[in-house]
Amino acid sequence: MKIGLAVGDVRGPATLDAVVDQVRVAADAGFATAWASQALGWDALTAIAVAGATVPGIAVGTAVVPVPQRHPMMLAGQALTAQAAVTGRLTLGVGVGVAAMVSGMFGLPTDRPVQRMRDYLTVLGPLLQGESVEYRGDTLTAMGAVTVPGDVPAPSVIVAAMGPRMVRLAGELADGTVTWMTGPKALGEHIVPAITKAAAGRQAPRVVAGLPVCVTSTPDDVRARIAEQFALAAQVPEYRATLDREGVAGPQDVAIVGTETQVAQALARLRDAGVTEFMAAPYGTADEQNRTIDLLAELAR
């Protein structure tokens, strides 16, 4: 199981220079990938393109870019631009977004999320390959091509998927899935078997699992902070269903928190569940994050 490091907003407020520094730390420590998420701050693709162009020798990815606000022709152009900037090291993670935010903040429809993602991937895949599309689907229309000069390979595409239908779609039309706040039971019993079956006959799917991680001697305090900071994840249907599959109350129960030995054991459980790549989001104070990164770097080696 590869180990990557989350950078940027998910770890707390950071300037663009700080994001670049986090990617540099990840590269120097031997992590496989630096992952940027799209929240309400930096644009994930732009930030990871800037950082990846500055720091060589590490794969970069988005986990994830919500697609309702971006037509696939626009995202294809942006992704290929970022791919050129990082010389072919990009993984493009996409998702339908949290419905409450998509509708409440942007006023966009959130019905039929699986069909919307199916239409989107059907268009996005050929565009990233430099092909022209003529598509009139149930939820979008796309006509034309995205032309980027130079030999720019299509990035790997993974889909944020936790529900059964979205997981199957990720196996059918993408290179894998990326999860957030999803524990080893839900991964091992639901997500990994479903995406593996759906991808039969294709390349084995990537399963990227993202979780907050904190190496600490005061786990109860850290879990209380995680419960408060990520309270929304325990309430919205998308995450609530996955937490229920895990049999836990909230994000504090799936976050990886404890001593060096306990954290290493938790990562082993993810590996045994079929996770191919772990996206660690170091949590806590600067000292807590540094202690966590030191252990994760040792495990990554």
Side-chain angles (χ1 to χ4, degrees):
M1 181 180 73
K2 297 178 180 179
I3 301 177
L5 207 62
V7 299
D9 292 340
V10 72
R11 290 170 54 180
T15 65
L16 185 57
D17 285 344
V19 174
V20 174
D21 286 343
Q22 289 175 358
V23 174
R24 185 176 290 109
V25 167
D28 291 345
F31 289 97
T33 309
W35 296 96
S37 60
Q38 184 71 48
L40 299 176
W42 298 114
D43 177 77
L45 263 174
T46 305
I48 209 65
V50 170
T54 305
V55 182
I58 185 171
V60 295
T62 59
V64 295
V65 174
V67 300
Q69 305 93 312
R70 299 165 176 82
H71 189 278
M73 294 188 72
M74 300 301 296
L75 182 60
Q78 188 183 12
L80 289 171
T81 302
Q83 176 75 314
V86 302
T87 59
R89 291 174 282 138
L90 176 69
T91 290
L92 177 61
V94 297
V96 295
V98 175
M101 296 178 67
V102 172
S103 61
M105 298 179 68
F106 298 99
L108 296 172
T110 58
D111 62 310
R112 299 180 292 165
V114 177
Q115 182 60 53
R116 290 183 184 279
M117 182 57 77
R118 179 175 292 279
D119 286 346
Y120 202 98
L121 294 174
T122 299
V123 171
L124 182 65
L127 290 173
L128 292 174
Q129 297 287 346
E131 301 172 9
S132 181
V133 298
E134 294 185 11
Y135 189 81
R136 293 182 178 85
D138 290 343
T139 65
L140 68 83
T141 296
M143 300 287 170
V146 175
T147 304
V148 176
D151 186 16
V152 182
S156 175
V157 177
I158 58 177
V159 177
M162 294 178 288
R165 293 176 62 212
M166 193 70 78
V167 171
R168 289 196 297 270
L169 179 62
E172 294 170 11
L173 295 183
D175 299 312
T177 186
V178 55
T179 66
W180 177 243
M181 294 298 184
T182 304
K185 179 180 178 182
L187 283 158
E189 295 181 5
H190 298 279
I191 292 173
V192 172
I195 195 170
T196 301
K197 181 178 180 180
R202 306 176 67 225
Q203 186 174 349
R206 298 170 63 182
V207 179
V208 183
L211 287 168
V213 188
C214 185
V215 178
T216 179
S217 303
T218 57
D220 291 343
D221 171 64
V222 172
R223 290 191 188 278
R225 281 184 273 151
I226 290 173
E228 181 178 1
Q229 181 173 339
F230 295 102
L232 179 65
Q235 301 168 17
V236 297
E238 294 91 340
Y239 290 107
R240 185 66 263 167
T242 300
L243 293 169
D244 288 344
R245 289 190 188 96
E246 195 72 24
V248 299
Q252 69 276 11
D253 300 313
V254 292
I256 297 177
V257 178
T259 64
E260 281 83 356
T261 298
Q262 290 169 328
V263 169
Q265 290 171 340
L267 264 62
R269 286 193 291 273
L270 291 173
R271 179 200 63 212
D272 293 344
V275 171
T276 63
E277 302 168 55
F278 177 55
M279 179 180 67
Y283 180 83
T285 65
D287 287 344
E288 288 171 331
Q289 291 196 28
N290 289 338
R291 181 180 175 186
T292 300
I293 290 170
D294 286 345
L295 172 67
L296 293 170
E298 181 181 338
L299 295 175
R301 288 192 292 269

